[in-house]
Amino acid sequence: GAVVSQHPSRVICKSGTSVKIECRSLDFQATTMFWYRQFPKQSLMLMATSNEGSKATYEQGVEKDKFLINHASLTLSTLTVTSAHPEDSSFYICSARDAVVRGGLPDTQYFGPGTRLTVL
Amino acid sequence: QKEVEQDPGPLSVPEGAIVSLNCTYSNSAFQYFMWYRQYSRKGPELLMYTYSSGNKEDGRFTAQVDKSSKYISLFIRDSQPSDSATYLCAMTYGNNRLAFGKGNQVVVIP
């Protein structure tokens, strides 16, 4: 259980285009999803917190107009990188927080497999 | 997020050796202390978590927290080639958000 999927797993796009990444919780409902970015040999950096039915909360330094987040349902959040540039190339990972505490760590985040974005 | 420090240097050990990893932190408000394992091109998976100072064992894995020194460790006994991965420490803060260390790439040589 507690599976999170991401689509696509890899995307290559031209500079100036927009890219949408989907994050789905497959077997549980997630009132909160998180979006991270990971550069090579660097830690995961939290970009934003996405709450179902409300606006996302962005971390300091993350441009909300560039990284559009939509959390329209309890199982789906999307991240759209608008007008992508080569410096946006990175590994984007989402996580979903189970709305139900199933034992163990409260508010466990389950991570998706990540999306590798390459902007040419 | 420089509040969690983890020396990202790679670590190679022979099969059967003990792997020792550690992180330091500066924020006293961190609540839970976790270790994640991340295989190449995959998302992290939770290995262990602790809340208080002391040791917690789970099979070949031991997580250790010393809140007075702001220092956490992960030990892997009898390491196996399948343990080869990147190990990230992480700590919760605020509304259960996570702050990650840079990760250690561990290679267990058969």
Side-chain angles (χ1 to χ4, degrees):
Chain A
V3 178
V4 175
S5 70
Q6 274 184 248
H7 178 79
S9 59
R10 177 179 293 188
V11 57
I12 301 173
C13 69
K14 293 181 179 180
S15 184
T17 61
S18 295
V19 174
K20 180 186 282 188
I21 302 170
E22 291 187 349
C23 177
R24 293 181 184 271
S25 55
L26 298 185
D27 51 3
F28 66 98
Q29 293 184 330
T31 53
T32 304
M33 291 184 172
F34 301 87
W35 287 96
Y36 296 84
R37 181 165 51 182
Q38 186 178 32
F39 292 107
K41 301 190 185 299
Q42 298 294 317
S43 63
L44 278 77
M45 299 297 292
L46 179 64
M47 298 175 65
T49 302
S50 166
N51 294 297
E52 185 265 338
S54 64
K55 290 184 178 180
T57 303
Y58 290 82
E59 295 299 301
Q60 192 172 8
V62 178
E63 299 175 60
K64 62 180 181 181
D65 294 330
K66 181 170 183 62
F67 299 99
L68 302 179
I69 291 173
N70 183 279
H71 193 159
S73 77
L74 287 173
T75 59
L76 174 64
S77 176
T78 60
L79 168 69
T80 301
V81 183
T82 62
S83 186
H85 288 97
E87 57 265 31
D88 298 323
S89 299
S90 187
F91 194 50
Y92 292 86
I93 304 176
C94 73
S95 70
R97 178 192 291 169
D98 195 339
V100 176
V101 177
R102 302 179 189 279
L105 179 68
D107 294 332
T108 299
Q109 291 185 34
Y110 299 97
F111 285 83
T115 296
R116 184 159 301 281
L117 170 64
T118 302
V119 184
L120 303 177
Chain B
Q1 291 171 334
K2 297 184 178 179
E3 293 177 298
V4 180
E5 296 287 345
Q6 182 177 10
D7 184 351
L11 184 64
S12 293
V13 299
E15 184 176 354
I18 295 175
V19 175
S20 174
L21 306 169
N22 58 76
C23 292
T24 59
Y25 64 96
S26 56
N27 189 345
S28 299
F30 286 141
Q31 299 164 316
Y32 284 88
F33 305 90
M34 293 107 103
W35 287 94
Y36 283 82
R37 178 173 60 196
Q38 184 178 22
Y39 292 110
S40 181
R41 302 178 189 273
K42 301 291 184 184
E45 57 176 330
L46 181 63
L47 264 182
M48 296 186 70
Y49 70 91
T50 56
Y51 177 77
S52 57
S53 287
N55 293 350
K56 181 177 181 180
E57 283 193 21
D58 184 359
R60 297 183 295 109
F61 297 88
T62 300
Q64 190 175 76
V65 173
D66 182 346
K67 285 191 171 183
S68 62
S69 301
K70 296 188 175 63
Y71 187 93
I72 70 170
S73 300
L74 177 71
F75 301 98
I76 308 173
R77 292 184 298 280
D78 187 24
S79 56
Q80 304 295 310
S82 58
D83 295 327
S84 297
T86 296
Y87 292 82
L88 303 107
C89 61
M91 303 171 192
T92 63
Y93 67 100
N95 186 18
N96 280 303
R97 292 183 290 180
L98 288 171
F100 282 89
K102 289 185 176 181
N104 282 118
Q105 184 179 5
V106 173
V107 176
V108 181
I109 303 168

